[in-house]
């Protein structure tokens, strides 16, 4: 049976989301699966209450290489400036999310970039067959079996063909960055695959190959390669590597089914929206996402989760009664 772990970067402001996610991991994954989390060092006291044989805590400092320096006091000062909330880069700094790569101190490393570097570092250090990547605002809704994620030695690879168009400027930029830093010579075609979902699985062996490739192409350690970029997508880097530089085995278990019904909109869901969202959840889905940045209230989130779980429980009960009539 393949050895599978889960990984979630989180922090104190997402603790309520994390609690919902972790409870679902304990409920719907095999008892052998360990849920790894990455948290800022100062958040250890808040998350230690969940530490068990099924939760492993990693801190930011334990995963970053030498030469990465936190300058939290400066970042908090910059984030407190009157106009900081109107500037996304400065808004993130108010949370102390500013690091420097002392070997290349400009540009500073913002929180979003740092989180992606930490994902690569954590997965690359794991001695497991596959890692289920879960953000805090995801909740599992169905039982996950090892064969859902690994088949015949191949880790599930999410790839949605021809889903990225020229009008999707952020996605195009992420593809361009991935190809440049991975040394993929092919020019960008008019339409490209999308590798971004709320429910993704990474192969640690492939992550280590990506780290090695980044160092060979760019002649510096891989965290510094990523830290100097102003924007990139970890999912697009992983997907581009598998598609263009991976083996046939790496691409042998590919699917365009995200297995996760997601709400990405910036507007908060309201009670009248619950039925529409629940109806969008497929029987094949293993998770749901109501993005935290939508500011959907916890009451609405909890009602969505409970409604979805009730629906699946009812369907499971109906299936069982049909298969085994009294």
């Amino acid at each position: 049976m393949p050895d599978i772990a889960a990984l979630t970067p989180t922090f104190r402001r997402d603790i309520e989301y994390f609690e919902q996610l972790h409870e679902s991991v304990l409920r719907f994954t095999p008892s052998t699966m360990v849920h790894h989390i990455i948290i800022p060092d100062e958040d250890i006291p808040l998350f230690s209450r969940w530490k068990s044989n099924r939760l492993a805590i990693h801190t930011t400092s334990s995963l970053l290489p030498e030469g990465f320096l936190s300058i939290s006091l400066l970042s908090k000062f910059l984030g407190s400036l009157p106009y900081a909330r109107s500037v996304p880069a400065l808004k993130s700094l108010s949370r102390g999310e500013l690091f420097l790569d002392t070997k290349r101190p400009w540009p500073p490393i913002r929180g979003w970039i740092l989180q992606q570097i930490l994902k690569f570092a954590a997965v690359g250090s794991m001695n497991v067959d596959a890692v289920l990547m879960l953000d805090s605002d995801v909740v599992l809704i169905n039982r996950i079996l090892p064969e859902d994620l690994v088949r015949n030695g191949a880790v599930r690879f999410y790839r949605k063909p021809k889903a990225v168009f020229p009008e999707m400027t952020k996605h195009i930029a992420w593809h361009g960055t991935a190809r440049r830093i991975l040394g993929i010579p092919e020019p960008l075609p008019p339409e490209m695959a999308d590798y971004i979902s709320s429910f993704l699985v990474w192969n640690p062996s492939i992550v280590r190959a990506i780290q090695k490739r980044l160092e060979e192409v760019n002649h510096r350690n891989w965290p510094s390669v990523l830290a100097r970029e102003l924007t990139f997508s970890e999912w697009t880097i992983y997907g581009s590597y598998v598609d263009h530089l991976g083996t046939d085995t790496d691409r042998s278990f590919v699917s365009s089914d995200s297995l996760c019904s997601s709400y990405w909109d910036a507007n908060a869901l309201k009670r009248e929206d619950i039925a529409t969202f629940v109806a969008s959840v497929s029987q094949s889905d293993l998770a749901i996402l109501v993005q935290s940045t939508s500011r959907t209230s916890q009451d609405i989130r909890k009602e969505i989760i409970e409604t979805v779980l009730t629906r699946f429980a009812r369907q499971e009960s109906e299936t069982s009664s049909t298969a085994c009539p009294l």
Side-chain angles (χ1 to χ4, degrees):
M1 181 179 293
D3 188 5
I4 300 169
L7 176 68
T8 301
T10 189
F11 73 129
R12 63 178 59 217
R13 294 191 184 182
D14 282 350
I15 198 163
E16 197 165 2
Y17 299 110
F18 163 76
E19 184 171 16
Q20 294 164 355
L21 168 63
H22 185 58
E23 287 176 355
S24 74
V25 170
L26 296 180
R27 177 176 178 178
F28 290 113
T29 65
S31 60
T32 55
M33 179 185 282
V34 177
H35 190 187
H36 297 258
I37 62 172
I38 308 170
I39 59 173
D41 295 59
E42 60 268 24
D43 287 351
I44 290 177
L46 289 174
F47 287 87
S48 292
R49 61 179 132 152
W50 286 289
K51 192 170 184 180
S52 70
N53 62 340
R54 297 207 57 196
L55 182 78
I57 297 175
H58 307 271
T59 61
T60 298
S61 63
S62 69
L63 292 171
L64 289 177
E66 289 185 14
F68 275 55
L69 176 67
S70 170
I71 50 174
S72 57
L73 291 179
L74 175 59
S75 66
K76 288 177 181 177
F77 167 74
L78 291 172
S80 68
L81 294 175
Y83 50 82
R85 290 191 176 278
S86 63
V87 181
L90 290 180
K91 186 176 179 180
S92 71
L93 300 185
S94 66
R95 299 192 293 266
E97 298 174 346
L98 186 66
F99 277 72
L100 290 182
D101 178 0
T102 56
K103 296 178 181 179
R104 188 186 176 100
W106 190 262
I109 309 165
R110 290 176 289 121
W112 182 54
I113 298 296
L114 181 70
Q115 185 181 100
Q116 296 180 81
I117 294 172
L118 292 171
K119 289 178 185 177
F120 277 111
V123 176
S125 69
M126 291 187 189
N127 185 28
V128 295
D129 298 303
V131 180
L132 178 57
M133 311 292 285
L134 301 168
D135 286 339
S136 293
D137 42 10
V138 172
V139 176
L140 303 184
I141 59 168
N142 242 329
R143 191 161 61 106
I144 295 177
L145 303 174
E147 55 264 33
D148 293 323
L149 309 182
V150 181
R151 293 180 187 171
N152 300 318
V155 173
R156 189 179 197 275
F157 175 43
Y158 174 73
R159 182 184 191 276
K160 193 170 184 179
K162 297 183 178 181
V164 175
F165 306 95
E167 296 79 14
M168 303 168 67
T169 53
K170 282 188 178 180
H171 287 70
I172 296 295
W174 294 335
H175 274 268
T177 298
R179 293 191 182 210
R180 172 171 51 80
I181 64 179
L182 288 171
I184 299 171
E186 294 92 337
L188 295 177
E191 298 176 343
M192 289 171 288
D194 191 15
Y195 310 109
I196 300 173
S197 170
S198 309
F199 186 96
L200 293 169
V201 195
W202 275 7
N203 181 337
S205 297
I206 292 176
V207 169
R208 289 187 284 271
I210 290 171
Q211 293 169 348
K212 182 179 179 181
R213 177 74 178 186
L214 290 173
E215 293 181 347
E216 290 173 348
V217 171
N218 300 277
H219 310 292
R220 64 178 68 242
N221 66 24
W222 70 264
S224 292
V225 174
L226 297 179
R228 70 182 180 182
E229 298 297 331
L230 293 176
T231 181
F232 66 87
S233 160
E234 73 276 43
W235 315 126
T236 306
I237 290 173
Y238 184 93
S240 297
Y241 181 92
V242 174
D243 247 351
H244 297 275
L245 302 169
T247 66
D248 290 340
T249 298
D250 296 337
R251 294 183 291 269
S252 63
F253 181 14
V254 62
S255 177
S256 59
D257 184 353
S258 69
L259 300 179
C260 181
S261 185
S262 300
Y263 180 77
W264 299 101
D265 203 293
N267 299 314
L269 285 169
K270 297 181 172 56
R271 182 155 279 103
E272 56 266 29
D273 302 318
I274 293 176
T276 300
F277 180 83
V278 171
S280 73
V281 181
S282 167
Q283 182 66 31
S284 65
D285 284 334
L286 300 178
I288 59 173
L289 164 77
V290 176
Q291 194 166 22
S292 59
T293 53
S294 71
R295 304 299 182 189
T296 297
S297 74
Q298 281 294 343
D299 287 343
I300 298 298
R301 272 184 59 90
K302 289 174 181 177
E303 189 167 341
I304 288 171
I305 294 168
E306 290 170 3
T307 305
V308 170
L309 290 177
T310 300
R311 173 187 163 192
F312 275 95
R314 184 181 300 116
Q315 290 175 341
E316 184 178 354
S317 174
E318 290 171 353
T319 302
S320 299
S321 62
T322 301
C324 305
L326 296 176

